[in-house]
Amino acid sequence: MSPYRPSEIEPKWQQKWSDARVAEIDVAAPGDKLYMLNMFPYPSGDLHVGHGRNYILGDALYRYFRMQGRAALNPMGWDAFGLPAENAAIKRGIHPRQWTMSNIVREKKQFQRWGILYDWSKEIASCHPGYYKWNQWLFLKLYERGLAYRGTAPVNWCPEDKTVLANEQVVDGKCERCGAVVEQKELAQWFLKITDYADRLDAGLDKLENWPDKVKTMQRNWIGRSVGCDIEFEVPTLGRSIRVFTTRPDTIYGATFMVVAPEHPIVADLIADHPDRAGLEAWINGVRNQSSLERQEAGKEGRFTGKHARNPFTNELIPIWLGNFVLMQYGTGAIMAVPAHDQRDFEFARQYGLPMRIVITKGGELPDVSAMTEAYTVKDESAVAVDSDIITGLAAPKAIDRICGEVEKRRIGKRMIRYRLRDWLISRQRYWGTPIPMIYCDRCGLVPVPEKDLPVELPLDVPFTGREGNPLAKHDAFVNVKCPQCRGAARRETDTMDTFVDSSWYYARFISPRDDTKIFDTKMVNRWLPVDQYIGGIEHAILHLLYARFICRVLHDLGLTEVEEPFTRLFNQGMITKEGYRDPSQNNSWVPLNEVEMRGGKAFRGPTELVPEVGKMSKSRFNVVPPDELIERYGADTERVYTLFIAPPEKEAAWSDEGVVGAYRFLGRVWNMGEQILSSVLGPRSSDGNGAGDIERVIRKMHRTIDAVTRRFDRFEFNTAISALMELSNTIGEYMAAGGRDARLRDAFTVLLQLLHPFAPHLTEEMWAMFAKKGFILTSAWPIADESLMQEDFVTIVVQVNGKLRGQIEVPNPPEEGVVMAAVQSNEKIQTWVAGKKVVKTIYVPGKLVNVVVR
RNA sequence: GCGAAAGUGGCGGAAUUGGCAGACGCGCUGGACUUAGGAUCCAGUGGCCCAAAGCCGUGCGGGUUCGAGUCCCGCCUUUCGCACCA
């Protein structure tokens, strides 16, 4: 008998799987297709156990589906363009390509060491010209359809990364990547017209039944669909009108002033003859130069323009104000202010002493305010009621409809659906990305690169200085080209694409990854898409997942696929956190783990007690757990089992070095059990009928475990699936310890191996091989539970009266009513009361409680 | 501020439809084997109590029910998301 030595068995099986290409699949072969996909990673170098959780989870699921006989596809690739590669080039003088490629090699090795099976024949890397060529092709198609355009707009500029960013990449006014405060700049940039798809992207969410509600809510909020009405307010002294958007046109009788965004084009005219024009302009410029963050922190501020507009429903002339809380980017950049029915308008009105009017809609009574804001409930003294004329007596939905109808009849506006979503800014002033295939010609203007000239290859011979400006712009051979139309001298676009373009369609490329002639094979893509199970982090709830849904619809509209939604089922795994330490005497800087000394359960560096802090693993906090050492000592199977056992997979989980030992011990016990069973002489039928030594008990437990683990796989409850396997292993262990030697023990154990296989593939393969050597033929198919064997044959009925033990009896399962009654054996008149289908029963005797507990 | 989710031992966490609260594991305590134990195995481990019996226990306060971690009402706390979107 040899002890469990994962370091000896694991590399052997990894090599075998790799040599036999077990995960390679022919997409054209028949079968019950299942497309599994983990979000492809950015190859940043070292993967830690937190990344491991994500891929191990996917692998366990993939192996489970394989065992069930599904034709499962599980490909992997690399989201290989991006800033860190370029930063490494600037910092360390390594070319981004070289840096990226060497990281890919390392990460691929790591996947193998985790025992993860991918179909490497379909590997893709977005930085490969064979891939990004189709990025460029897709861009040209978008351009042809008017879905890619060059426009000037105030955009987000990250001063740290020296590039513009998409709105989705700005979090709380800061750069999502580096945390620098984002500035606003007016620049000409490339946009993709995602707003054209806002309605479909919003409506499509309803059909995604197997997506987490949280992600759907986040997308819905981000798209921000609002149903309302545009209404013109005439400015008599200018002979023009100002258009506003409102979702509550029924409150228009209470509109006592207007507020216009300081950036609104009409502002120049509004203040042209203002006595303090200079002062107003200074104020406007002040607001303009604020970042969105500063603007919000400043609170509500405004200035009166001196002009008035006519409320089209009350005919009253109302003052026009400028206000910092009105945003040019949303709606029309102007609002009608109804202070009695809107919180923001209320605050503004109160601050500047503007009038308030309560709109009465229901027969002289106060309106239904449930959908209105605090402003109304405050009942400001100055608020007076106003007659609501044509909507008097109507409930809000009807009143809204009536006003909209009137507005349209009078041709002063129309019903409108507006979105918060803005177009996707895809140009980046950085080198390591897909070149945008466009050419600027002085005579012909914007000229797309002809399809036959694709790919526009990224030149490799550029210097990396870190100074402002894209290094591509200094590469003369790249920049200076002939115009494809007039053959005259022209300049190439030097911006590259946002890397989220690369990842917006990669799931389709896996189906025909080497095809030079087209973006993908439509017939095969229609067979394999959508992805049945997509796995990745919640950080992509909006970014990647929204873009992918958008581009998938574009591909559909181009006639390239039949699918609209790329991912049927989505799972977001939780992060793994780990304790790190900060030194309060050193400005709370992070302390490397090798300088931390544990004394009495507390952490010290020299005499200073350190402050522990649990958080996401990152190099700067020195709390990264690298898998290498762990795998060497305990094996990949241990890491796999521990990682999935630690917590429900969607939850955040704290890494504990001690906890790993538990998983290791469990696998060690399984190993020893297998060895013992192999070397024992098992008899044909040696059930001695009771307690731990009863083989029937083991068999019943086995069937219950098959059932439990199968159900838990389908519900992503890996932690309890593993605990069920530990229970089965304990039951088998007890049977063996009690001296049981029935041959069916081997069946129970091999089922344990099968159920354990997705979690600990190396150990189980090794054991299977050992069994095979002794002549036992095993199958690697997923076992099926026999329901008739899941229940206990006999149960013990324990009768308690008022909590006191009255009697105990063993009866066949399920117990009959009469048997239960007999067990109670009391003189009292008894009513039986049976709850649900459970075998637990309570008998109620007036004044007493009789609990019949079935064990 | 608005919205959502969650509060269970020393810790991670279990508990179909209301039905033995604390599965499984870590840690801890004791023991075995050891030159040694940070390896392995065995036993114990929610709290009160020497122990038994018993009592108390799922954030807090009410309620429904024979029976509530689970359902209802009102709070408190934490986490996440949104945050001038008219």
Side-chain angles (χ1 to χ4, degrees), chain A residues 139 143 146-152 189-193 195 423:
Chain A
F139 179 91
Y143 183 74
L147 290 169
Y149 67 95
R150 192 164 168 82
T152 304
Q189 298 289 321
W190 286 101
F191 292 88
L192 298 188
K193 222 168 178 189
T195 51
D423 280 339

Side-chain angles (χ1 to χ4, degrees), chain A residues 6 10 14 113-115 631 634-641 762:
Chain A
E10 291 182 350
Q14 286 160 10
R113 275 198 291 263
W114 274 325
I631 288 176
Y634 298 108
D637 283 342
T638 294
E639 184 186 338
R640 292 172 64 108
V641 169
H762 311 86

Side-chain angles (χ1 to χ4, degrees), chain A residues 214-231:
Chain A
K214 187 180 175 183
V215 174
K216 286 190 278 186
T217 307
M218 283 168 77
Q219 291 217 356
R220 209 165 267 132
N221 289 342
W222 188 262
I223 296 166
R225 183 176 193 267
S226 294
V227 180
C229 186
D230 273 12
I231 306 174

